[in-house]
Amino acid sequence: MTFFEEVYEMCKKIPKGKVATYGQIAFLIGKPRCARQVGWALSSCPDPKNIPWHRVLNRFGKLHQSDVLGNMHIQRDLLKEEGISFIDDFTIDLKYYLWEGL
DNA sequence: ACGGTGACGAGAT
DNA sequence: TATCTCGCCACCG
């Protein structure tokens, strides 16, 4: 089980309608200082159909920085479909939607 | 093996 | 939660 795989497995545990932060995912898999690698893992997401990568945001509830291929918009739309409302086009209210963990 | 890379985070300003 | 800096460390060639 590589670090990447652990990230993907953890993402699958995030309940629908909730979100997690990169740092939180890193913490939950026992690598609290690997938030950056979590983001990287999701950027190379091998199976977008089965991995809820869109439920992972940065610590402010903002969507990821890079918008190559329009992924920010895709992520926003996916989250809206799960009933999550946005403060602005790419920000949600973490205190309401943040996943509590396991 | 080694170093560049990066969807991050915390602290300073 | 504005902007900058720096530490972080798995992955890949």
Side-chain angles (χ1 to χ4, degrees), chain A residues 5 27 37 42 45 57 60 62 65 69 89 92 96:
Chain A
E5 291 170 329
F27 178 82
Q37 287 79 280
L42 295 178
C45 185
L57 318 172
F60 297 126
K62 289 275 287 180
Q65 296 298 316
L69 305 179
D89 277 356
I92 73 171
Y96 189 78

Side-chain angles (χ1 to χ4, degrees), chain A residues 10-96:
Chain A
M10 190 57 67
C11 286
K12 292 178 184 175
K13 296 180 181 178
I14 304 173
K16 184 175 181 179
K18 289 288 186 177
V19 299
T21 68
Y22 298 101
Q24 181 181 15
I25 296 295
F27 178 82
L28 289 172
I29 63 179
K31 307 265 183 194
R33 290 169 298 286
C34 291
R36 205 170 184 180
Q37 287 79 280
V38 171
W40 190 20
L42 295 178
S43 75
S44 341
C45 185
D47 189 4
K49 285 179 62 69
N50 298 309
I51 300 171
W53 59 273
H54 56 282
R55 299 192 186 130
V56 187
L57 318 172
N58 71 18
R59 71 193 150 141
F60 297 126
K62 289 275 287 180
L63 270 50
H64 60 80
Q65 296 298 316
S66 170
D67 189 28
V68 284
L69 305 179
N71 283 329
M72 292 180 77
H73 299 76
I74 295 173
Q75 183 174 18
R76 181 194 58 188
D77 292 344
L78 288 170
L79 290 172
K80 281 189 171 181
E81 286 178 22
E82 297 191 353
I84 293 175
S85 58
F86 280 68
I87 294 173
D88 64 39
D89 277 356
F90 301 104
T91 311
I92 73 171
D93 191 343
L94 273 187
K95 74 177 186 299
Y96 189 78

